[in-house]
Amino acid sequence: MLPAGRAVETGCYDGIVADERRETMSDHHQKTDSDSGQQGHPPATSPSEKEKTPHIVYFSSATNNTARFVEKLGFPSQRIPLRRKDPEITVTEPYVLIVPTYGGGNVKGAVPKQVITFLNEKDNRDKCLGVIASGNTNFNTAYAIAGNIVAQKLKVPFMYKFELLGTSEDVQKCKEGLVEFWQKI
């Protein structure tokens, strides 16, 4: 799994709706596979190549910092629309969300409104398997806090945080971590 970096504590969920507790990946792997009777392994099926490839859903502002980071990852992706007049998206497969942190260091407003709108759709929310966030270390404890807020609300792993555009090391760690994560689901 991807390293989580500094832990950030918050109880604020910034308007994101959540329903019943989500099954986390660690919960999934602790269940018994009814076909094999073994614990700690996903069901014995042969997933297609598409299922083995990480899928990314992301939001990026007009600066396109997050978009450039996602492009460097090289995985299939969908962008949450920037403007209200743009058509909304509905995901049809499991994904990891990459979200920038807004709010200038304040917890309130840290999660972009467009991401909240996207996640308020149950079909979109239910397919999220984890969160990666960007932020600015100048925000101190609010650095990449949008990822923590969303992950807590959806009860999915907060997988990684990176600053602004991310470094080549961030890109490599995310690529490797996502491939490893995807093989386990």
Side-chain angles (χ1 to χ4, degrees):
M1 184 163 315
L2 297 168
R6 283 193 290 171
V8 182
E9 297 298 324
T10 182
C12 173
Y13 298 122
D14 215 19
I16 300 171
V17 174
D19 44 20
E20 66 280 346
R21 183 185 180 280
R22 295 273 324 249
E23 177 182 328
T24 65
M25 294 313 300
S26 59
D27 292 336
H28 172 76
H29 292 300
Q30 294 303 314
K31 290 185 177 179
T32 302
D33 178 4
S34 58
D35 293 333
S36 68
Q38 296 177 349
Q39 282 193 334
H41 300 285
T45 59
S46 179
S48 70
E49 283 305 310
K50 182 178 179 183
E51 291 171 337
K52 290 181 185 179
T53 302
H55 183 73
I56 305 296
V57 172
Y58 70 97
F59 176 74
S60 189
S61 69
T63 65
N64 282 319
N65 287 346
T66 307
R68 287 192 287 263
F69 184 84
V70 170
E71 188 177 304
K72 291 175 191 175
L73 292 175
F75 298 125
S77 63
Q78 289 177 274
R79 183 176 185 161
I80 298 170
L82 178 60
R83 293 172 183 76
R84 290 183 190 191
K85 66 179 180 175
D86 295 335
E88 293 182 19
I89 64 168
T90 300
V91 293
T92 58
E93 59 189 299
Y95 68 92
V96 169
L97 177 67
I98 301 182
V99 59
T101 299
Y102 280 16
N106 297 310
V107 173
K108 184 169 177 59
V111 179
K113 290 182 186 337
Q114 296 91 330
V115 174
I116 293 169
T117 299
F118 170 78
L119 291 173
N120 277 339
E121 292 295 326
K122 186 176 182 339
D123 288 341
N124 293 336
R125 187 172 61 247
D126 288 347
K127 290 179 179 65
C128 184
L129 301 178
V131 181
I132 295 171
S134 68
N136 188 324
T137 55
N138 289 340
F139 297 164
N140 271 331
T141 59
Y143 165 58
I145 199 167
N148 194 38
I149 292 168
V150 173
Q152 283 184 15
K153 190 64 176 175
L154 299 183
K155 296 183 176 23
V156 298
F158 182 17
M159 303 167 75
Y160 193 79
K161 58 177 81 173
F162 63 93
E163 185 167 12
L164 303 173
L165 293 167
T167 65
S168 57
E169 182 181 343
D170 290 324
V171 171
Q172 190 60 37
K173 283 182 181 179
C174 280
K175 273 185 184 181
E176 291 170 2
L178 284 167
V179 168
E180 180 182 331
F181 180 77
W182 227 257
Q183 297 304 313
K184 293 179 181 179
I185 62 171

